[in-house]
Amino acid sequence: MSLLELDGVSASYGHADVLHGVSFVLPDNGATGLLGANGAGKTTTLRAISGMVRTTGRIVFDGRDITGLGPDRTAALGIAHVPEGRGTLGQLSVRENLLVGAYRRRDRKQIAVDVDYCLDLFPNLRERVGSNAAALSGGEQQMLAVARAFMAKPRVMLLDEASLGLAPSTARRVYDAVVRLRREAQVAMVVVEQNANLAFSVVDDATVLETGRVALQGSSAELLGMDAVRRAYLGG
Ligand SMILES: Nc1ncnc2c1ncn2[C@@H]1O[C@H](COP(=O)(O)OP(=O)(O)OP(=O)(O)O)[C@@H](O)[C@H]1O
Ligand SMILES: [Mg+2]
């Protein structure tokens, strides 16, 4: 059964139509990638799913039409958007940021268990658990953004360029944690990445967008076998 399905989704900012009939399916516990050049519409696709942009077509999550529902309601249904630029709360500590992520939950004991799981996932954060988020490095802030999203106990995480601006080893650590969240916590993933090596380490399949349209779709193995994909996204 599919967890998330986009069917002919178009989206616009004011009078600017930027997505044109994007469709893909994410199975339960699946992980799918969105690739494409700058401005192709990757971020807008995630915004369409979480309800942050005017959208037509149909988006179905867990059997329910969520097209145009709005970010609060999609979040309440179990969609956690980790935006470009991270958006951690700088004046709050690492621990407080994690608790903010869990604000809809009432299962206090399990929240404590999950905070500990996040600190296990990201040992860097355990060392900084009392520090203000503003004092963290870029990599640590990205880790916190992923961990905070997990604290909502989402069914699916929408990850937008989690590697942006990070050293390769730090980006790898973030993605290792993403792989664990998928495997251990059964969080499905929609992964937007410019770094296709990182994306393909997580996803089973991917959609390549070009100026707001689907240009290619296939399994990771199929896409990795295409010269054009290798040239565009893997540097050869
Ligand atoms: N708030 C906005 N208002 C108007 N146009 C926007 C807005 N945000 C994005 N766009 C336009 O929509 C198109 C798709 O942008 P989007 O941010 O989805 O691309 P992207 O694939 O995420 O690119 P990048 O890799 O640079 O993050 C671009 O032409 C962009 O200029
Ligand atoms: Mg983007």
Side-chain angles (χ1 to χ4, degrees), residues 13 18 37-44 47 84 161 194:
Y13 298 102
V18 303
N38 291 123
K42 305 180 297 294
T43 294
T44 304
R47 286 185 182 145
E84 257 175 336
E161 307 237 22
Q194 300 260 355

Side-chain angles (χ1 to χ4, degrees), residues 27-108:
D28 243 338
N29 299 331
T32 195
L34 285 174
L35 306 176
N38 291 123
K42 305 180 297 294
T43 294
T44 304
T45 304
L46 297 189
R47 286 185 182 145
I49 297 167
S50 62
M52 297 164 66
V53 63
R54 197 150 48 79
T55 302
T56 60
R58 217 163 91 93
I59 306 178
V60 176
F61 177 68
D62 202 16
R64 170 177 176 164
D65 190 335
I66 60 160
T67 319
L69 256 198
D72 286 342
R73 294 181 63 195
T74 58
L77 289 174
I79 297 175
H81 192 150
V82 184
E84 257 175 336
R86 292 144 200 171
T88 55
L89 302 167
Q91 297 315 305
L92 298 185
S93 71
V94 165
R95 184 182 297 283
E96 287 164 342
N97 267 275
L98 294 176
L99 295 175
V100 166
Y103 84 96
R104 283 193 175 81
R105 298 172 54 186
R106 294 290 170 268
D107 49 342
R108 293 181 64 167

Side-chain angles (χ1 to χ4, degrees), residues 141-161:
Q141 288 190 25
Q142 186 64 62
M143 293 172 189
L144 181 56
V146 170
R148 189 179 65 169
F150 169 71
M151 287 303 299
K153 274 286 156 109
R155 302 278 308 279
V156 62
M157 220 179 251
L158 313 178
L159 267 191
D160 200 348
E161 307 237 22

Side-chain angles (χ1 to χ4, degrees), residues 1-19:
M1 161 132 166
S2 66
L3 179 63
L4 176 71
E5 194 165 342
L6 277 69
D7 185 11
V9 169
S10 298
S12 54
Y13 298 102
H15 293 295
D17 297 329
V18 303
L19 282 190

Side-chain angles (χ1 to χ4, degrees), residues 114-216:
D114 290 340
V115 166
D116 204 54
Y117 177 75
C118 286
L119 300 178
D120 175 50
L121 208 54
F122 296 116
N124 298 61
L125 295 183
R126 192 182 288 283
E127 286 167 25
R128 311 296 306 272
V129 71
S131 307
N132 281 355
L136 301 179
S137 70
E140 290 164 343
Q141 288 190 25
Q142 186 64 62
M143 293 172 189
L144 181 56
V146 170
R148 189 179 65 169
F150 169 71
M151 287 303 299
K153 274 286 156 109
R155 302 278 308 279
V156 62
M157 220 179 251
L158 313 178
L159 267 191
D160 200 348
E161 307 237 22
S163 73
L164 199 69
L166 305 186
S169 61
T170 308
R172 187 64 265 165
R173 255 181 286 159
V174 170
Y175 273 88
D176 285 346
V178 169
V179 170
R180 279 187 62 188
L181 286 175
R182 183 184 173 195
R183 229 186 264 138
E184 298 172 354
Q186 280 81 51
V187 182
M189 301 279 170
V190 181
V191 177
V192 167
E193 256 306 327
Q194 300 260 355
N195 182 330
N197 279 313
L198 289 173
F200 283 122
S201 72
V202 180
V203 303
D204 304 320
D205 52 32
T207 297
V208 179
L209 296 177
E210 260 174 42
T211 56
R213 289 183 171 78
V214 173
L216 277 175

